[in-house]
Amino acid sequence: MASFYVHVCSLIIFIAFILVSPFIGLSFARSSIIEAICTNATDPSFCINALKSDPCSDDPTIRTVFEQIAIDLAIANATDTLQFLNEQRNCSKDTRLKAFYGYCIADYQDILIDTDDNAKEALLAQEYFTVGTRGQSIMENADGCDSYFTKPPPQMSHKNRSIRLLSEMIYLIADYLIKE
């Protein structure tokens, strides 16, 4: 009778293992893909946390899921920064600072075009080289915004850093997809 219970317990453990093992594989695949992408990032922990922040990242079988996450995060960041820039420009009494915010607004409008229109379209068309080029262009626009200021306001500097890191992710993921 005891051997019967041992067999039943063994069978239950075996079935549980079979049911759980695909999820272990997906979790491992997700982690290894994210590591491969984020290893070369300027701030690997930012990259890893950003990619894992979206529940869609749980399904790495979708080839472009991480690129879509990076693009969506860049769009959200650029939209938020554009609103911040408009508020700062409207509130500023310093005409020079007001002009700098205006220049940055133009840069962030370009960033939104590069991410929301160009990068998304290229991703749908599986033109990963173009997606990577859009990532580089976004970085250049963020650098341009920083360059207008002798010393960028801390909040502006932080926002430019965030979009630079997100655009770097867009570039790195595109490079990963090209090599895959």
Side-chain angles (χ1 to χ4, degrees):
M1 192 69 160
S3 71
F4 173 75
Y5 289 114
V6 170
H7 289 299
V8 170
C9 288
S10 297
L11 182 61
I12 290 172
I13 291 171
F14 178 73
I15 291 172
F17 178 75
I18 288 174
L19 292 174
V20 172
S21 63
F23 297 107
I24 293 170
L26 282 178
S27 177
F28 178 74
R30 171 187 160 190
S31 293
S32 64
I33 293 169
I34 290 174
E35 255 186 56
I37 292 166
C38 295
T39 298
N40 296 319
T42 302
D43 185 343
S45 64
F46 177 92
C47 180
I48 290 166
N49 291 333
L51 292 178
K52 287 184 176 180
S53 71
D54 191 305
C56 292
S57 72
D58 288 339
D59 188 2
T61 59
I62 301 171
R63 194 163 183 257
T64 58
V65 71
F66 297 115
E67 189 70 88
Q68 189 61 56
I69 291 169
I71 290 170
D72 289 344
L73 289 171
I75 290 168
N77 178 282
T79 302
D80 177 63
T81 302
L82 198 51
Q83 181 180 350
F84 169 80
L85 288 166
N86 278 308
E87 290 168 3
Q88 294 303 306
R89 183 180 65 175
N90 292 339
C91 294
S92 181
K93 305 290 184 217
D94 182 340
T95 55
R96 189 168 180 235
L97 197 56
K98 209 173 213 175
F100 293 157
Y101 283 125
Y103 300 147
C104 285
I105 286 170
D107 284 334
Y108 272 85
Q109 287 170 336
D110 288 345
I111 287 171
L112 279 172
I113 291 168
D114 277 337
T115 51
D116 201 20
D117 294 338
N118 301 335
K120 273 187 171 181
E121 286 176 21
L123 181 61
L124 286 172
Q126 297 180 350
E127 296 170 358
Y128 305 126
F129 180 79
T130 302
V131 175
T133 303
R134 296 299 91 214
Q136 289 176 319
S137 177
I138 294 164
M139 278 188 259
E140 290 168 9
N141 281 316
D143 289 341
C145 183
D146 266 347
S147 73
Y148 303 130
F149 301 94
T150 308
K151 183 176 186 247
Q155 207 171 3
M156 191 70 248
S157 194
H158 173 74
K159 290 181 178 293
N160 284 333
R161 180 181 186 279
S162 294
I163 197 68
R164 255 194 306 278
L165 293 173
L166 290 167
S167 61
E168 178 186 53
M169 287 169 50
I170 291 170
Y171 173 80
L172 291 171
I173 296 166
D175 189 54
Y176 175 83
L177 291 169
I178 290 168
K179 292 176 182 174
E180 186 179 58

